[in-house]
Structures are given as structure tokens and as C-alpha cells.
Amino acid sequence: MPQFLSARAVLLDMDGTLVDSTSVVERLWLAWAAEHDVDPDAVLEVIHGRQGHESMAILLPGRDPAINAQENAALLKAESTQTDGVVAVAGACALLAALAHAPHAPVTSADRVLAAARMGAAGLRMPQVRITAEDVSRSKPDPEGFLRAAGLLGAAPEDCVVIEDSPAGIAAGRAAGMPVIGVGSRAAGQGAHAVVADLTTVDVCEDAGALRIRIG
């Protein structure tokens, strides 16, 4: 049975939600883990949805934040040039097309260069309004990015719907006071309003000046 949500704006994560970049992300992070003798399972548990320097701070507590920032910059540069295997999540192109004339924005932990590289590699349109790492002082699961996006779109938090895949991202959307649609296996059991395998079962249409979101 389909579910329905009403909203004024839709806020979308990028990696794992619009773009499948898992192979690149995990390959580079596992190389980082080996270099620093960090448990690879712990790395894979932490990194998704967070900015790299914050993941490093969790994995290597007490390390100089300047080192984390430096290594994160190097990782971002490597990720932006390694786009082989980066593809759109099923249904992402159609969903962005349905949102073309509606308030929407990606909210990603990637920086501007990486976000543009991945969206381009996946053949997806980059929305005019977007929140990247440079636009926030705190990474997900902090709600800052989603709240900032809502403000830029002129929508109250409670009038936004978040589409996310990672536990950190879902927690950020919930902390912002926004209903969350979870995407993929990582979203299961994380408190999302609904969870879908991919975006082929999410549809958006305008209804009397609002957005009607059909799930399932």
C-alpha cells in the first residue's frame, strides 16, 4: 500500500541516495584504514554520511584536527578524480526531473568539487540550490545542513521532507524536525518515516501548491 507525504520542499542526500559511489568511497577509506592501522569494520560503520575530518576524529580520537583536515582534503581530491563506477541510484534521474520546478536541494557532506564530479559522472542534474561541506560548520548527524537548505528554499523545517540513506543523515533529518524517507539497506531500522530499496518507488507531483510525495 503506497504512503503519501505532503511537503513544500525536498532535501536530498547525494552519496548513497542519488549517486552510488560506494565502491570508490570504501576503497579509498579502507586504504586510509590500513595506513593508520584502524579496524576496517569500524571505518565502514562510521564514514557514511559524515564529512571525512569528523569521521577521522571519531576513528582516531585525540589526533590533531589539523592533520584530519589535511588528510581529508587529500581524500576529497582523490575521490573527485576517481569516478569510475559512480552511477546514478535507480530512479534518481526521474525524481530530479519531477522536482525540476519545485523547491529542492541536495545536502551532502562532499565539497563542491566532489559533488559536481559525482553528479556529473552519474549523469544527474545539479540543482541550483545545494549545501556542500563548505556551507556548514558541523557535519551530519548535526541538522545544520538541512536547516540551512530549508532556509535557502524559504521553507519551514516541518514543511520539508528529507531523502537519505545513512544513519547519520537520517539522524540529521530527524533532528531538524523533518520526515525522512530512507533509501537502501543502511536506512533500515534508523527511524525513517519509510524505507525504500531505491528511488524508483518515490514519486513527486505538485498538488494545490504543495508537493505530494508517493512512496511505494
Side-chain angles (χ1 to χ4, degrees):
M1 177 74 78
Q3 299 182 54
F4 294 91
L5 291 172
S6 181
R8 295 288 177 183
V10 175
L11 310 179
L12 310 106
D13 176 52
M14 184 183 71
D15 290 302
T17 301
L18 293 172
V19 171
D20 183 355
S21 57
T22 302
S23 61
V24 176
V25 171
E26 294 190 350
R27 181 176 69 248
L28 289 170
W29 272 98
L30 289 175
W32 178 90
E35 182 181 346
H36 294 85
D37 195 26
V38 176
D39 178 10
D41 290 336
V43 169
L44 297 181
E45 181 73 23
V46 165
I47 60 171
H48 294 290
R50 288 183 171 88
Q51 291 188 33
H53 65 90
E54 295 203 6
S55 294
M56 291 173 188
I58 293 170
L59 294 162
L60 293 174
R63 193 167 74 149
D64 185 349
I67 297 175
N68 292 340
Q70 182 179 15
E71 291 188 0
N72 182 50
L75 269 176
L76 288 170
K77 184 176 181 180
E79 289 182 80
S80 67
T81 59
Q82 297 185 32
T83 55
D84 287 348
V86 173
V87 296
V89 169
C93 187
L95 179 59
L96 286 175
L99 289 168
H101 302 293
H104 68 291
V107 179
T108 176
S109 296
D111 66 8
R112 293 186 189 103
V113 173
L114 179 56
R118 288 209 173 130
M119 292 288 280
L124 296 176
R125 170 184 63 83
M126 175 63 85
Q128 182 176 2
V129 177
R130 80 290 300 258
I131 298 295
T132 61
E134 295 92 339
D135 300 313
V136 296
S137 60
R138 297 176 299 279
S139 176
K140 302 169 186 175
D142 192 279
E144 180 184 359
F146 288 125
L147 293 172
R148 184 169 174 80
L152 289 174
L153 294 171
E158 62 269 22
D159 292 331
C160 297
V161 167
V162 167
I163 304 181
E164 261 283 2
D165 75 301
S166 71
I170 292 169
R174 287 170 54 86
M178 303 172 181
V180 181
I181 300 171
V183 180
S185 59
R186 279 195 296 268
Q190 300 300 318
H193 178 89
V195 177
V196 297
D198 55 42
L199 298 176
T200 58
T201 56
V202 179
D203 186 47
V204 179
C205 64
E206 292 196 56
D207 182 16
L211 300 176
R212 191 166 187 257
I213 303 170
R214 182 181 186 272
I215 310 162

